[in-house]
Amino acid sequence: MARGKLRIYLGAAPGVGKTYAMLSEAHRRIERGTDCVVAFVEHHDRPRTEVMLHGLEQVTRRDLEYRGTAFTEMDVDAVLERAPAVALVDELAHTNVPGSRNAKRWQDVEELLAAGIDVVSTVNIQHLESLGDVVESITGVRQKETVPDEVVRRADQIELVDMSPQALRRRMAHGNIYKSDRIDASLSNYFRPGNLTALRELALLWVADRVDEYLQQYRGEHNIRSTWQARERIVVGLTGGPEGRTLIRRASRMAAKGSGSEILAVYIARSDGLTGASPKELAVQRTLVEDLGGTFHHVIGDDIPAALLDFARGVNATQIVLGSSRRKTWQYVFGPGVGATVARDSGPDLDVHIVTHGEVAKGRGLPVARGARLGRSRVIWGWLVGVAGPTLLTLLLTHVDADLGLANDMLLFLTLTVAAALVGGLIPALASAAVGSLLLNYYFTPPLHLWTVSNNKNIVAIAVFVGVAVSVASVVDLAARRTHQAARLRAEAEILSFLAGSVLRGETSLEALLERVRETFAMESVALLERAGDTDPWTCAGSVGDGRPLERPEDADVDMPVGDHMALALSGRVLPAEDRRVLAAFAAQAAVVLDRQRLQSEADQARTLAEGNRIRTALLAAVSHDLRTPLAGIKAAVSSLRSDDVEWSDEDEAELLEGIEAGADRLEHLVGNLLDMSRLQTGTVTPLIREVDLDEVVPMALGGVPDGSAELDIPETLPMVAVDKGLLERAVANIVENAVKYAPDETPVKVSASALGERVEIRVVDRGPGVPDSAKDRIFAPFQRYGDAPRGAGVGLGLAVARGFVEAMGGTLAAEDTPGGGLTMVLTLRAAAGRPPVRPDLSSQVTS
């Protein structure tokens, strides 16, 4: 049994008219013939609401007694036994009296929905569970009755019942909401203008968020790639320091100002691991950003500002949030810092926000050596400190008239050796120790300016200096290497954890996985290559990036074999050997994803074959009945005319000839649709796109319907559309003929057109019985006829052919309900290129 649909009327405060709107909807549905009952509606002695209950069937409530007081609640069993098509259930967040079937009314509604009953309900914004604290801070009242947000978000339709605070207060003052003894107290407390304004804003923002979700779902279903609205994507640059949480929360507040904004936190690690980051702090920040609805990314890149900007541009970000530098003033001699560099190089397409925090200028500590794989600039600085530093120190000490003593001179030279070890690693430190010992011997150890040492104590001192310098350099370098290894292992663990998670989640996008490889290893392009045999040429199974196209693994900077006939190829830079372990895991997962995609493709092909078999079966049924019926009529009429036994009058002959002509027209129409459907099924429809005026095509499409059965409204100011004239005419003709078939005899079908932006819409409106939401997609399937269409009225191909032709021209065809009853077909086309888009006249629209 199909699950019922939930429609919710959402209001900002009591009295805005939710229940009245719900009852009005019930009357509209009953007028259309829908079986609709009142399961539970509380009118609160409001006269206008009580009047709306007249004429509606009400299910008897259940009587309950609690602590000596009688109560009435919705009788779920009675509603299930009645089994209406639609049930009205007021106050979704209501708490049931103890002893009821469920603790909450929304749980009662879930039972009705599970039984296939559509439910229309109401709820106020203050009753949403996630907004409890916010509402309490605004109104000073804690809501005891709440409903989980997920219950409301799962609703198929959410309609905001809106009213300005001034109008709501007037309604309250007139006694339309509460009795007279409660009016003054309500107006001066809960219903103050400030409270109502804040609650109204909450409701509008919450519904706007739902509208954006519906829009994204619609764009995904219709494969719409063009931008319909500016969406903010905010990248947060993290260093693993304690300021990261502040940056994430600040970005979240920025994102909250715009519907649909997205937060992407990125941690840039150098290719040899970033030792300054705290793994525990990064884990906390990852959890925080995910709790706030964002995503966490781990990217490797030696040039951190460039890697951050590349990532931001790669995800189409609009803003970057960075923290003020934690470096002390003297540390700026090493460069301007990440924040200043990113702000300088961001260009006009990215806004950079520098956020202050409590760790500003508290220092990040001295840079720690990372062994042999330091960047070139670090190695150069290490040699400068280790070699040029002792030379400059010697010049300073020899030209300053200050006798510090050999011990102090040795400590100064030892300081430079330690600094060289910290900056440049072991080799610059050893060179610094050698140079320093020679300079100490020549300039500061008697006899001066000779390479000999006269005092044995000084020989011991120089030897101790060299030993201490070498030992300190070795220890510092060893610690840096161990830190580097731990950082690499941590990064590998995070990446492998991501891969394991993607397997568990069943992610099947090869492009997404390859993009993750490119992002992780900071590559220009990544491709998965394969071949059938050892001598066969390589083919590309998938690729991402802007680098040169890869045709063979040998052409790549890095290639990782996957089995005998598959390889993962990367271009951009050469990876160190230790990175190939993680790359091998990515390559194996890429092979698995490719196999999964192919299995899915084979399953789709199998479904296509099954659909083809179903269509062939339906085609045989159509040929056996729908095509034979007009043939039988034509043959009977021709046989009657040729018969010598009957003398036919002129009127009879004209009637028989008219029947022959009508049967031939029906045959031509049926055969034409069958041929069109076969062309669509085989993919042989090739539109010839030209710029066409709608008023040249649409009137010609109405030639197949009786005069007066359709009204045409095509403004001359519409822009031209880029379509195939013949295909558009056939599509519109099929849509109009279908509408005329189901429209009442005295009510013509209305065909109108309008323009909005770069789109042009043709709407075919009928006042027939309409189609429920569950059948709106099914009516476009081949050989489908909805409702009680008589046999011989067609084989059910008209709308299928129309949608196929429209989609072949790059348009869309969808069905909507006609307000007041009926069905509206909406055909959307692209305006011709180079034509100025038509803007709607917003001043003429009425909003409330």
Side-chain angles (χ1 to χ4, degrees), residues 510 527-533 536-543 550-553 565-569 594 598:
L510 179 61
L528 183 63
L529 306 177
E530 63 174 348
R531 60 182 178 180
D536 294 316
W538 291 93
T539 59
C540 182
S543 64
L550 300 174
E551 298 180 355
R552 301 180 306 167
H565 304 122
M566 189 176 294
L568 189 64
L594 181 60
R598 288 175 174 169

Side-chain angles (χ1 to χ4, degrees), residues 127 138 157 276 324 385 550 593 627 629 756 797:
H127 294 300
I138 295 172
Q157 296 182 56
S324 297
V385 173
L550 300 174
V593 169
L627 295 181
T629 299
L756 180 61
L797 285 176

Side-chain angles (χ1 to χ4, degrees), residues 1 25 39 160 190 212 290 407 507 521 534 573 610 685 744 752 766 811 844:
M1 179 183 296
E25 174 65 16
L160 178 66
Y190 193 92
D212 187 72
E290 291 176 351
E507 297 178 357
F521 296 100
D534 295 335
R573 64 188 179 95
V685 175
S752 62
D766 68 64
S844 64

Side-chain angles (χ1 to χ4, degrees), residues 80 133 609:
L80 293 174
D133 295 336
L609 291 174

Side-chain angles (χ1 to χ4, degrees), residues 73-262:
E73 293 285 4
M74 180 174 68
D75 193 336
V76 179
D77 291 326
V79 178
L80 293 174
E81 182 178 356
R82 171 62 177 76
V86 180
L88 308 183
V89 182
D90 204 5
E91 299 177 356
L92 185 64
H94 172 74
T95 301
N96 292 330
V97 174
S100 301
R101 183 189 189 99
N102 296 301
K104 288 286 192 176
R105 185 165 292 165
W106 64 263
Q107 295 171 325
D108 297 336
V109 168
E110 287 293 319
E111 285 196 40
L112 300 183
L113 295 173
I117 300 174
D118 293 348
V119 176
V120 183
S121 188
T122 64
V123 71
N124 282 328
I125 192 68
Q126 66 263 29
H127 294 300
L128 295 183
E129 193 167 294
S130 66
L131 300 178
D133 295 336
V134 179
V135 173
E136 183 178 11
S137 65
I138 295 172
T139 64
V141 178
R142 183 69 181 184
Q143 298 295 328
K144 298 180 180 180
E145 295 187 331
T146 60
V147 59
D149 288 44
E150 186 59 26
V151 174
V152 183
R153 285 187 176 273
R154 285 201 306 263
D156 300 276
Q157 296 182 56
I158 298 176
E159 183 171 337
L160 178 66
V161 182
D162 190 27
M163 178 176 290
S164 67
Q166 294 79 9
L168 184 58
R169 285 172 58 84
R170 283 197 302 269
R171 179 179 288 184
M172 170 71 73
H174 294 159
N176 294 330
I177 300 177
Y178 294 149
K179 294 182 179 180
S180 58
D181 57 344
R182 297 179 56 188
I183 292 176
D184 291 338
S186 299
L187 289 175
S188 59
N189 291 284
Y190 193 92
F191 284 79
R192 288 178 296 179
N195 290 356
L196 296 178
T197 301
L199 293 174
R200 188 188 189 198
E201 182 180 12
L202 279 179
L204 290 170
L205 290 174
W206 198 92
V207 174
D209 183 64
R210 285 289 293 157
V211 171
D212 187 72
E213 292 178 13
Y214 285 134
L215 176 61
Q216 296 304 322
Q217 179 182 355
Y218 176 85
R219 286 164 53 85
E221 292 173 352
H222 292 77
N223 197 28
I224 297 173
R225 301 298 182 189
S226 60
T227 301
W228 281 8
Q229 69 173 43
R231 179 174 183 178
E232 295 289 347
R233 282 188 172 88
I234 303 174
V235 170
V236 185
L238 302 178
T239 65
E243 77 282 0
R245 302 185 209 180
T246 302
L247 303 184
I248 294 171
R249 293 190 180 98
R250 181 71 179 97
S252 177
R253 292 196 297 272
M254 293 168 58
K257 296 179 180 179
S259 176
S261 297
E262 184 178 356

Side-chain angles (χ1 to χ4, degrees), residues 465-637:
F465 164 76
V466 174
V468 170
V470 172
S471 300
V472 170
S474 300
V475 170
V476 171
D477 183 73
L478 180 61
R481 289 178 183 274
R482 294 290 182 265
T483 305
H484 158 65
Q485 293 174 0
R488 287 201 57 81
L489 292 175
R490 182 176 70 249
E492 290 179 7
E494 291 179 354
I495 294 170
L496 294 176
S497 174
F498 162 78
L499 282 178
S502 66
V503 173
L504 294 175
R505 292 189 296 269
E507 297 178 357
T508 58
S509 173
L510 179 61
E511 287 71 19
L513 181 62
L514 296 181
E515 181 62 30
R516 180 71 179 190
V517 175
R518 190 186 71 82
E519 176 186 283
T520 299
F521 296 100
M523 289 293 181
E524 294 179 0
S525 64
V526 179
L528 183 63
L529 306 177
E530 63 174 348
R531 60 182 178 180
D534 295 335
T535 59
D536 294 316
W538 291 93
T539 59
C540 182
S543 64
V544 296
D546 301 326
R548 66 182 188 275
L550 300 174
E551 298 180 355
R552 301 180 306 167
E554 294 82 4
D555 299 333
D557 295 317
V558 181
D559 70 283
M560 174 59 63
V562 188
D564 296 331
H565 304 122
M566 189 176 294
L568 189 64
L570 299 84
S571 66
R573 64 188 179 95
V574 178
L575 288 181
E578 55 265 34
D579 281 345
R580 296 181 68 87
R581 291 183 301 172
V582 178
L583 186 60
F586 271 112
Q589 178 65 8
V592 171
V593 169
L594 181 60
D595 289 340
R596 188 181 301 163
Q597 284 187 350
R598 288 175 174 169
L599 289 174
Q600 183 63 41
S601 177
E602 293 176 1
D604 294 339
Q605 292 177 4
R607 282 194 293 269
T608 302
L609 291 174
E611 179 66 16
N613 290 333
R614 188 189 69 81
I615 290 178
R616 281 191 289 272
T617 302
L619 179 59
L620 290 175
V623 171
S624 64
H625 185 280
D626 294 283
L627 295 181
R628 291 177 62 184
T629 299
L631 278 175
I634 293 173
K635 180 175 178 58

Side-chain angles (χ1 to χ4, degrees), residues 708-709 739-749 765-770 821-823:
S709 60
V740 171
K741 184 190 308 180
Y742 290 97
D745 294 337
E746 303 300 328
T747 306
V749 172
V765 182
D766 68 64
R767 294 293 179 178
L823 189 68

